[in-house]
Amino acid sequence: MSAPKTYLNAVSAVPGATPVHVAVIMDGNGRWARARNFPVMAGHRAGAEAVRRCVRGAINHGVRYLTLYAFSSENWRRTPQEVGDLTTLLRFYLRHKVAELHREGVRLVVIGDVGRFESSLRDEISRAEKLTARNTRLTMVLALSYGARADITRAARLMAEAAIRGDLDITQANENDLARFLQTHQFPDPDLVVRTSGERRLSNFLLWESAYAELAFLDVLWPDFNEEHFAALMADFERRERRFGGRVEHRTVAP
């Protein structure tokens, strides 16, 4: 299979490395369904199966962290029926598919404003996180009701509160101080950010963390994404040179 079409932001002096952290904007479920005269929910179901293939690809290629943009803060603006369908599907997979992730050694972590979901769904999220908390093969981060600007704003507020308490000297504060208040503080920054469906924007996803990420934009709709696409992305990443603007420091990856 030929490599997927990408629009690259080539920027490290060490080509050939596997990305530690891959982040994916899973886009195209609705268009996939409409092209087949299916209800939108069918596209979301097919997209959920693509998640399984993406997780398998990440495990096979030794990726340590996989972040999936599953439900954005802007998705709340969709019709009540589609929001209901999405949350119903999410509840189903948390209830019935997390055991499969657990058997594969995958740890599940959720970021975002999950307080907007009803309590039963929050309980399912908590149960899934607790069940998989000790797994180390792959950390899968689900971004749910997530928006990068909101998270940066929240981090700035928490940093200001720390300064008011006297826990932080605001006159000496730097970007590392703010980063430790982000919901993603426990993970390394993404090395590669992928978006499917041919769109070429980040759509309020990991804006702070993606400052030096490589970008790849695929024309494939998310429900059609498979392990061959993942392998092609890894091959493309290995050919890139990443210099980080001359920066040499890197965030430490937890063992």
Side-chain angles (χ1 to χ4, degrees), residues 170-237:
I170 199 66
T171 65
Q172 301 297 317
N174 56 39
E175 62 185 63
N176 291 327
D177 291 313
L178 189 144
R180 67 187 177 92
F181 290 105
L182 293 170
Q183 291 190 68
T184 56
H185 69 276
Q186 59 184 305
F187 318 120
D189 287 341
D191 302 292
L192 175 65
V193 176
V194 180
R195 182 170 187 152
T196 59
S197 86
E199 303 293 347
R200 307 176 199 176
R201 56 183 177 271
L202 293 179
S203 295
N204 201 19
F205 179 55
L206 300 182
L207 299 180
W208 177 282
E209 299 86 347
S210 298
Y212 285 95
E214 296 293 306
L215 305 181
F217 300 101
L218 280 63
D219 289 334
V220 64
L221 299 175
W222 177 247
D224 293 323
F225 185 89
N226 58 38
E227 292 180 47
E228 289 186 328
H229 292 112
F230 200 99
L233 286 165
M234 297 301 97
D236 175 76
F237 182 87

Side-chain angles (χ1 to χ4, degrees), residues 1-14:
M1 170 186 172
S2 59
K5 181 178 179 182
T6 59
Y7 301 86
L8 314 181
N9 70 324
V11 271
S12 217
V14 187

Side-chain angles (χ1 to χ4, degrees), residues 42-63:
H44 293 315
R45 288 196 187 99
E49 291 304 308
V51 169
R52 298 175 70 184
R53 297 191 291 271
C54 186
V55 169
R56 173 52 53 191
I59 290 173
N60 288 344
H61 288 274
V63 172

